[in-house]
Amino acid sequence: MEAAPDAAAAAAKPAKSGKKYRMGKRHANIYTYQEPPHSNSEEDISEEKADSHDPEQVFQNIQYQKEVMSNIRCRPWPMRQKLRVLRQAKEIVLKYEGRLTRTRGYQAAGAELWRKFLRLAYNFVVLFIPWEMRIKKIESHFGSGVASYFIFLRWLFGINIVLTIMTGAFVVLPEVRTQKKAAPFFLLFPATGRRTVRQHCQQDHSPGGLENCTGPGHHLVAWGKAKTTLFCSITTVWLYLFITTLTYRLWSLQGYLQYSVLFYGYYGSDRKIGKAGYRLPLAYFLVGMAVFAYSFIILLKKMAKNSRMSLASASDENYTFCWRLFCAWDYLIGNPEAAESKAAAIVNSIREAILEEQEKKKSKNLYVSVVVSLITMIAPSAFELVAALEMYHPRTTLRFQLARVLVLYLGNLYSLIIALLDKVNSMSVTGSNNSTPSSATGTPAKEDNLSATISDAQMNSNKTHAPSLPTPGSLLNNTASSNSAQNQCWETYVGQEMLKLSIIDMIFTVASILLIDFFRGLCVRYLSDCWCWDLESKFPEYGEFKIAENVLHLVYNQGMIWYVIRKQSD
Amino acid sequence: MGGSSSLLPREALEEYQELTFLNKQEILLAYKRFSELLPKERRENACSTRVPKSQILTLPELRANPFQHRICHVFSTSEDGDDSMSFEDFLDMLSVFSDAATSDIKSRYAFRIFDFDEDGVLDRKDLEKLVNCLTGQGEEARLNSTEMEQLIRNVLEESDIDKDGTINLAEFQHVISRSPDFVSSFKIVL
C-alpha cells in the first residue's frame, strides 16, 4: 500500500484491500495493520447474502449487523474507521429490513426503542446524583483515592437520610400532629400538649411507679434563671454566660430537650393516639425492625457487589511489580503539585517492593517481632520511636498505625457498651430505693468510662483538653446523682448518653479539623514568607489527608448510630 | 451550552453517542472545550479543524500527565505525523478514558501508550522509558541503574509467560485485567 520502514513492514501483514485501511502515511507501525476481526468477513457475508432471499438468513445478517453496531464502541479503531463501519452496517440494515416479515421487524424495532429509552434515562438520571460535580472536581484535583472517601461518605449519607425519613414519617410525624401546641422549633421545645411528664415514665421496669418521675417544676425554674441571666448582662459577659448555659443545657439534657419528640420512648401507655387511632407503640417497634432490616440488606448488597468486582479480578496471583508500574498512575490528576507527590509516591512504592523482595530472602526472628508488635499496640506514644529503631518497612508501620486506631475505636465502643449495661443494671436494681451509695458507685464508673472515651478520642486528634475535662466530670456528677435520685427510665438515660457522645464527637471533630488542618494550613501558607525556615517543607507543613484514618472514623460513627438503633429495638 | 450545541449537527451528535462511551452532555462539553482551544476565527468549523499538539497539552487534564506526548501520538490520526488532533480524535481519547469504557479497550490503548517504539511489544527499552516518564525529571526521584535492572527483571518475571523477554498484548491484558485499580485510575474526565 504505502512505503513503510523496513522492519515494521516486513513484520506486518500485507495491506488488505478495501477502504478500511487507507490510513495514509502517518503511522507506519504495527497498529495500522491490525486487522479488526469481523470487518472483512462482514463485507463477504453481505455480498454473498445479497442474492439470497431466504428470510432467515437475511434476518441473521441483519442481527449480525446490529450486533456490530452495538459493539462498535468497544473496537480500538480511530473514529473515521468506526464511522465508516457504522454507516455501512446501517445501510445494510435499511436495505434488507424492508424484506422482513412484520413481526420480526417490530421485535427489532422494539429492542431499538428500548435501547434509546435506556440511553435517555441514563442521561437524565446522571443529573440527579448529588454533589457529582464537586466530587469530580476533587477527583481531578487530588486523585481517585481521596475522592473514594467522599463517595463513601455520600453513600453513608444516603443511608442515613433514608433512615431519617423512615423514622420521621412513621414515628415523629404522628406524634407531632397529635400535639395541641405547634410552636416553632417544635422538635426542641417541650411538648406541653396531651402528653404530661407523668406518662413519660410509664414503663414496667420503673417499679417505683409514677411518683418518682421528674416533676414538672424542676426544669421550669432552671429555664427562668437562664432567661434572667441572659437579659441582665453586658455584651461580653452575656456571650460568656450564654455559651456556658447552652453547654450546660446540652450536656445535662435535663431541660427541655428531654421532652422532645425525637427522643425514643416518648410515648405513654395508650395503644392508639390521635383521632385516627394511630398505633404508636406498634409503629415504634415496626420502624425499629424496618430500619434494622434496611441497613442490613443494603450493606449486604454493597458488599456482594464489591466482592463480585474484586473476585472477577483477584486470584492468588500477585503481580505486585507489574501493577505498581502499569496501574499506578492516576490519570485524573490535573494539578501539578498533586502530580509531583503522586510520582514520588510511585517511586517510593517501587523502592519498597524491591526492598521487600530482598527481605523475603533473608530470615527474620519472629519471636522478637511478636513481642514488639504487642508493645507498639499498647503504647501509642512509644510507637513511632520503636518503629524508627526497628527500621520497619513503611507498610508495616502503616498497618500498625491502622491496627492501633481500630483497636482504640473498638475499645471505646466496648467500654461504652459495658458501662451503659452496668448503669442500666444498677438502675433497675436500685429501683425505688433512693440510696445514694449504690448509685454513687455506679456513676463514677460511667463517668470514668465516658471521660476515658473522650480522652481516647482526643488522643486520636492529638490535642490536650485537660482543662475542659474536669468541668464535664463535675457536671456529670451533679446531674447523674439527681438522675438516680429520681429513678429515671433507662431509655431516657441511654438516649441522653448517646446524644452527649454524638455531640462531643461532632464538636471535637470540627474543632480538630479547624485547628489541626485549617489554621495550620493558613499559617503555613501565609507565614512561611516571614518565618526563619520554610514552613511548607519542614516542621508544620500542610496537614495531610489521611484517607484510611478518615474512612475508619466514618465507619466508627456509623457503627455507633446503628448500635443506638439496635439498642432501641430491645 | 446554547451556542455550541447549535454548531454540532444533531446527526453527528447521535452518531458520536453510538460510537463512543460518552453521553450527550459529555460530548457537548468536549465540543465546547475543544473549540476553546482554537483561535476565535476558526471556531466555526471546529469539527473539521485540527488542533496542534502544543494546544492540546495546555488542557489541565493532560498538563500534569507524564504520558501526555504518547497519548497525543496514539490518538492522533494526523497524516503529517505532527500529532495534531481533530475533534474526532479528541472524542476517541475521551471515550477510551471515560468511566463507561470497558476494561478491554482501556488495556489495549494502555498497551499502545506504553509501547514507545511501536513495535507491538513492550521490551526493556520501552519499560525503561516508561519508568523514567513516571518518576519525572528530578535527579533524586529517578531510579538508579541497579534498581531499574531489578524492577525490569521482576516485571518480566511476573508477566512474560512465553519468556521471550518482551510483553505482548495478551500477556499485558492478562496482568492488567487482574488489577483492581486499573479501571478506576485510567480515567480522564473533563
Side-chain angles (χ1 to χ4, degrees), chain A residues 8 22-31 34 69-70 72-80 82-83 86-87 90 116 119 122-124 126-127 133 136 139-140 144 310 312-315 317-336 339 343-344 346-347 350-351 353-354 357-358 361, chain B residues 14-21 23-25 60-61 63-67 71 73 76-81 88 91-92 97 99 102 104-105 108-109 111-112 114-115 118-120 122 127 130-131 134-135 140-143 147 150-151 154-155 158-159 167 172 174-182 184-189:
Chain A
R22 222 176 292 139
M23 290 300 160
K25 298 178 185 57
R26 86 196 140 101
H27 284 295
N29 56 36
I30 196 86
Y31 299 107
Q34 263 180 9
M69 284 202 288
S70 63
I72 192 99
R73 27 169 100 104
C74 301
R75 306 272 183 217
W77 304 332
M79 189 71 87
R80 283 280 116 194
K82 285 195 278 193
L83 258 176
L86 180 73
R87 286 181 182 153
K90 276 191 177 161
K116 273 214 179 106
R119 204 166 56 204
Y122 172 70
N123 280 353
F124 185 65
V126 153
L127 290 172
M133 273 298 115
K136 287 261 179 319
E139 211 173 14
S140 68
S144 50
S310 65
S313 52
S315 50
E317 298 152 320
N318 209 2
Y319 298 109
T320 333
F321 281 97
C322 286
W323 289 346
R324 283 178 198 212
L325 188 58
F326 297 130
C327 311
W329 184 260
D330 195 347
Y331 288 72
L332 281 163
I333 293 179
N335 185 3
I346 293 178
V347 170
I350 291 180
R351 287 195 171 128
I354 295 179
E357 215 203 317
Q358 284 172 347
K361 300 177 182 159
Chain B
E14 293 277 333
E15 282 184 330
Y16 290 148
Q17 274 191 285
E18 285 187 60
L19 293 174
T20 63
F21 290 99
N23 63 26
K24 193 167 96 160
Q25 291 105 313
E61 288 81 9
R63 191 170 51 191
N65 199 311
F67 303 110
I71 291 178
H73 184 80
S76 158
T77 53
S78 157
E79 301 188 355
D80 307 321
E88 291 179 345
L91 276 187
D92 259 334
F97 279 106
D99 223 341
T102 58
D104 174 71
I105 200 172
R108 274 179 193 268
Y109 273 97
F111 185 76
R112 284 177 68 172
F114 294 152
D115 190 5
E118 298 193 326
D119 54 0
L122 300 181
L127 293 176
L130 175 62
V131 174
L134 268 180
T135 58
E140 61 169 45
R142 294 205 158 195
L143 296 181
E147 290 170 331
Q150 204 145 17
L151 171 64
N154 284 325
V155 165
E158 281 176 357
S159 55
I167 305 175
F172 184 78
H174 178 85
V175 168
I176 292 298
S177 63
R178 275 153 184 75
S179 160
D181 309 315
F182 177 68
S184 54
S185 66
F186 200 75
K187 253 201 285 188
I188 292 180
V189 177

Side-chain angles (χ1 to χ4, degrees), chain B residues 123-145:
Chain B
D123 54 15
R124 301 191 85 92
K125 292 196 297 308
D126 290 326
L127 293 176
E128 262 183 45
K129 285 204 201 130
L130 175 62
V131 174
N132 286 333
C133 264
L134 268 180
T135 58
Q137 300 307 110
E139 266 318 303
E140 61 169 45
R142 294 205 158 195
L143 296 181
N144 61 37
S145 52

Side-chain angles (χ1 to χ4, degrees), chain A residues 23-295:
Chain A
M23 290 300 160
K25 298 178 185 57
R26 86 196 140 101
H27 284 295
N29 56 36
I30 196 86
Y31 299 107
T32 329
Y33 302 106
Q34 263 180 9
E35 182 187 342
H38 296 294
S39 56
N40 240 18
S41 45
E42 154 205 336
E43 250 189 356
D44 296 338
I45 288 179
S46 62
E47 276 160 18
E48 277 171 32
K49 305 278 191 275
D51 303 328
S52 105
H53 292 278
D54 183 3
E56 191 54 40
Q57 275 180 327
V58 166
F59 179 71
Q60 288 300 327
N61 185 24
I62 291 181
Q63 289 308 103
Y64 174 75
Q65 297 300 328
K66 293 205 169 153
E67 197 199 307
V68 164
M69 284 202 288
S70 63
N71 279 342
I72 192 99
R73 27 169 100 104
C74 301
R75 306 272 183 217
W77 304 332
M79 189 71 87
R80 283 280 116 194
Q81 191 175 357
K82 285 195 278 193
L83 258 176
R84 237 179 316 216
V85 170
L86 180 73
R87 286 181 182 153
Q88 200 170 29
K90 276 191 177 161
E91 231 179 80
I92 293 177
V93 167
L94 267 172
K95 194 162 105 182
Y96 289 106
E97 207 156 30
R99 299 192 195 173
L100 282 183
T101 62
R102 242 190 246 157
T103 46
R104 294 278 207 175
Y106 283 153
Q107 207 179 48
E112 182 59 40
L113 268 176
W114 175 245
R115 248 178 285 147
K116 273 214 179 106
F117 171 72
L118 278 180
R119 204 166 56 204
L120 266 172
Y122 172 70
N123 280 353
F124 185 65
V125 156
V126 153
L127 290 172
F128 281 102
I129 303 178
W131 305 312
E132 187 67 11
M133 273 298 115
R134 241 173 257 223
I135 291 188
K136 287 261 179 319
K137 273 208 186 118
I138 293 178
E139 211 173 14
S140 68
H141 222 252
F142 299 107
S144 50
V146 172
S148 69
Y149 168 80
F150 290 100
I151 293 174
F152 181 57
L153 182 61
R154 182 176 65 183
W155 182 68
L156 277 183
F157 184 71
I159 292 185
N160 287 329
I161 288 277
V162 173
L163 295 188
T164 313
I165 291 176
M166 275 203 276
T167 320
F170 292 107
V171 167
V172 176
L173 238 54
E175 285 189 26
V176 160
R177 282 172 54 90
T178 57
Q179 286 174 17
K180 279 187 193 161
K181 275 193 199 167
F185 305 108
F186 54 76
L187 292 175
L188 295 180
F189 282 5
T192 52
R194 50 169 296 284
R195 219 74 56 74
T196 63
V197 177
R198 261 187 345 163
Q199 292 175 324
H200 173 69
C201 288
Q202 208 159 357
Q203 303 289 333
D204 287 342
H205 38 264
S206 320
L210 309 173
E211 297 76 35
N212 291 326
C213 285
T214 327
H218 165 78
H219 68 285
L220 283 175
V221 169
W223 176 233
K225 270 192 194 157
K227 269 202 293 194
T228 29
T229 331
L230 279 176
F231 285 132
C232 296
S233 38
I234 53 177
T235 315
T236 47
V237 177
W238 171 82
L239 203 61
Y240 172 74
L241 282 176
F242 178 69
I243 288 175
T244 47
T245 319
L246 201 64
T247 322
Y248 180 77
R249 287 267 163 249
L250 286 177
W251 191 262
S252 66
L253 300 175
Q254 280 297 298
Y256 44 84
L257 274 183
Q258 179 173 312
Y259 304 110
S260 88
V261 291
L262 284 181
F263 257 31
Y264 172 76
Y266 190 63
Y267 54 88
S269 61
D270 320 347
R271 274 190 88 193
K272 305 185 189 170
I273 60 168
K275 283 188 290 205
Y278 189 77
R279 291 175 192 260
L280 194 58
L282 184 64
Y284 259 102
F285 177 67
L286 287 180
V287 163
M289 290 286 112
V291 149
F292 199 52
Y294 171 75
S295 311

Side-chain angles (χ1 to χ4, degrees), chain A residues 13 61 124 126 356 376-377 422 443 450 455 511:
Chain A
K13 296 183 200 158
N61 185 24
F124 185 65
V126 153
E356 190 177 291
T376 55
M377 276 203 221
D422 282 346
T443 33
L450 197 56
S455 56

